[in-house]
Amino acid sequence: MATNSSLKNKLANRETKETKIVSAGTLPLKDLLNTPTMKKRFEELLKSRAPQFMTSILNLYNSEPALHQCEPMSIISSALVAASLDLPVDKNLGYAWIVPYNDNKSKTKKAQFQLGYKGYIQLALRTGQYRAINAIPIHEGELKKWNPLTEEIEIDFEARKSDVVTGYAGFFELINGFRKTVYWTKEQIELHRRRFSKSSFGWDNDYDAMALKTVIKNMLSKWGILSIEMQQAVIAEEEERERVDITPSEENEVIDAEFSEVIQETSESEEDPFEGSSENGENQRE
């Protein structure tokens, strides 16, 4: 049975298998995407949809100035994770994000893969185990009662007093009838953000989307059924991966190993719940 620990070990061990070639300089993102090695890697993951996906990477890069300061290879590495999960990187869709952050070790900016709340919902639905799953913001005046022990919640959407968001509620029901309801106050979300967020990028661009992701990620990791694919997505977000450049010479081209290799290795394993979550899910970073 594949466990979260074994997946992390495989991700760590892949570094010893890589051949690292130091290039004279870092290729621009567009040139990097046009290398035969890179085209082949995306085609292996996405088949005929590879050109469209690679174009969406360039569109994202051109529309997001913050990514211009990131190492191009880190953007590609993040995009490969999204491709291995078959999730679009279009920021307007909200399934997966490529987020810039400061790398304290190298004193540079790098990009990192982040799963959006819609991505979590999509991966959950792919398991075929969920009858329903959702998360919504709760506005001032709407929440009438919330009992965290019995999970009794009473919401009156017609009683809204303003557009001020006071909390976020999540819910899912499995095919077998198991149901779970959670509620986080705005203060709890803020505390989680300050403690665990590595980058303010997502929060500054769409606070509600990041808050909903926090609720869904916590809810699913503690009580949901997680496929190997979803476990891999969680690990991908929490790993700070070592990237390597490729040289302009085709015969020397190498790129860092992406997560599809691990997914392929574990795809035939049994599913098991995500291990390592703390009581409040506070070890999970956005």
Side-chain angles (χ1 to χ4, degrees):
M1 176 178 290
T3 65
N4 181 57
S5 178
S6 66
L7 286 175
K8 285 189 175 182
N9 288 336
K10 288 181 180 180
L11 291 174
N13 291 337
R14 69 184 180 143
E15 292 295 336
T16 62
K17 299 178 182 179
E18 292 181 358
T19 302
K20 295 186 178 181
I21 298 178
V22 180
S23 64
T26 301
L27 290 174
L29 181 66
K30 185 175 182 180
D31 293 341
L32 195 59
L33 283 171
N34 283 330
T35 59
T37 297
M38 204 63 69
K39 289 181 178 179
K40 180 180 178 181
R41 189 60 65 94
F42 278 103
E43 288 172 356
E44 290 173 348
L45 292 172
L46 299 169
K47 309 303 180 189
S48 62
R49 293 179 289 113
Q52 179 182 358
F53 188 91
M54 296 172 76
T55 298
S56 72
I57 299 173
L58 284 175
N59 291 339
L60 174 65
Y61 178 80
N62 292 332
S63 66
E64 190 54 67
L67 290 176
H68 296 176
Q69 303 174 42
C70 296
E71 295 178 0
M73 191 61 223
S74 70
I75 298 175
I76 298 295
S77 179
S78 301
L80 282 168
V81 177
S84 69
L85 296 171
D86 197 14
L87 294 173
V89 294
D90 187 332
K91 62 182 180 181
N92 296 317
L93 298 178
Y95 286 94
W97 299 71
I98 297 180
V99 178
Y101 75 101
N102 293 318
D103 186 345
N104 294 327
K105 294 180 181 179
S106 62
K107 305 299 181 182
T108 60
K109 283 188 177 294
K110 291 186 176 181
Q112 183 158 337
F113 167 83
Q114 273 195 6
L115 200 60
Y117 80 92
K118 292 181 181 179
Y120 271 101
I121 292 176
Q122 179 64 224
L123 294 181
L125 293 177
R126 289 180 191 175
T127 67
Q129 298 297 318
Y130 292 82
R131 187 188 306 276
I133 180 171
N134 197 15
I136 60 172
I138 303 299
H139 300 86
E140 183 182 16
E142 292 179 339
L143 182 66
K144 298 304 179 183
K145 182 177 67 174
W146 164 244
N147 186 324
L149 179 61
T150 64
E151 297 182 345
E152 293 179 87
I153 189 169
E154 182 180 341
I155 302 172
D156 184 355
F157 295 106
E158 295 183 357
R160 180 190 296 190
K161 295 180 179 179
S162 71
D163 290 334
V164 175
V165 175
T166 57
Y168 299 84
F171 168 82
F172 74 75
E173 180 180 0
L174 298 179
I175 297 298
N176 64 14
F178 177 76
R179 306 175 70 176
K180 179 60 63 174
T181 302
V182 298
Y183 176 74
W184 287 47
T185 65
K186 183 72 172 290
E187 289 74 20
Q188 288 174 310
I189 292 291
E190 262 301 295
L191 178 61
H192 183 92
R193 181 187 70 82
R194 291 196 300 268
R195 292 183 64 184
F196 301 109
S197 177
K198 293 191 299 179
S199 170
S200 63
F201 179 81
W203 295 94
D204 291 342
N205 283 274
D206 195 335
Y207 188 98
D208 282 346
M210 291 298 293
L212 291 171
K213 171 196 166 177
T214 300
V215 170
I216 290 178
K217 181 178 180 180
N218 175 269
M219 178 175 65
L220 292 179
S221 64
K222 291 177 68 175
W223 295 289
I225 293 178
L226 302 186
S227 65
I228 294 298
E229 190 180 40
M230 188 176 293
Q231 292 184 47
Q232 190 60 47
V234 173
I235 294 172
E237 283 198 301
E238 296 178 351
E239 286 287 320
E240 291 188 14
R241 299 172 300 283
E242 190 85 14
R243 279 89 172 190
V244 293
D245 293 332
I246 68 170
T247 65
S249 173
E250 180 178 343
E251 62 180 4
N252 290 328
E253 287 176 348
V254 295
I255 66 173
D256 62 338
E258 81 285 358
F259 292 94
S260 60
E261 296 176 358
V262 180
I263 291 175
Q264 183 176 4
E265 292 175 10
T266 58
S267 61
E268 297 181 357
S269 302
E270 293 181 27
E271 298 176 358
D272 75 316
F274 181 74
E275 300 174 0
S277 297
S278 66
E279 181 64 23
N280 294 318
E282 291 184 342
N283 62 323
Q284 301 171 8
R285 298 182 296 178
E286 268 63 54

